[in-house]
Amino acid sequence: MPKRFRLTRRFPVAMTEDGYRGLRKFAAEAGLDEGEALSFLFENFGSITDDEALSHRLRLFNSELDARKK
């Protein structure tokens, strides 16, 4: 039996413009709204990420984070 899709949590989120454009593009291609797309991504996070690529991308993002905040 499929789980009922309920949005039970709402929280303020700050995203970069590039991140938001990527989310909107993914959501549109998948036929979802942004909230549904985020739920999908986080519910399936382990199966849609490559651990090695994720850790490398995270290191790059963290190294650039301070400069991007200015």
Side-chain angles (χ1 to χ4, degrees), residues 13-35:
V13 176
M15 296 182 77
T16 63
E17 274 299 314
D18 290 343
Y20 188 61
R21 276 194 297 272
L23 174 63
R24 288 180 46 204
K25 180 181 177 192
F26 170 72
E29 289 172 355
L32 304 169
D33 68 30
E34 287 90 354

Side-chain angles (χ1 to χ4, degrees), residues 33-52:
D33 68 30
E34 287 90 354
E36 293 165 341
L38 280 174
S39 291
F40 169 80
L41 290 171
F42 284 107
E43 285 180 16
N44 298 285
F45 190 76
S47 64
I48 59 175
T49 57
D50 175 2
D51 289 336
E52 291 179 26

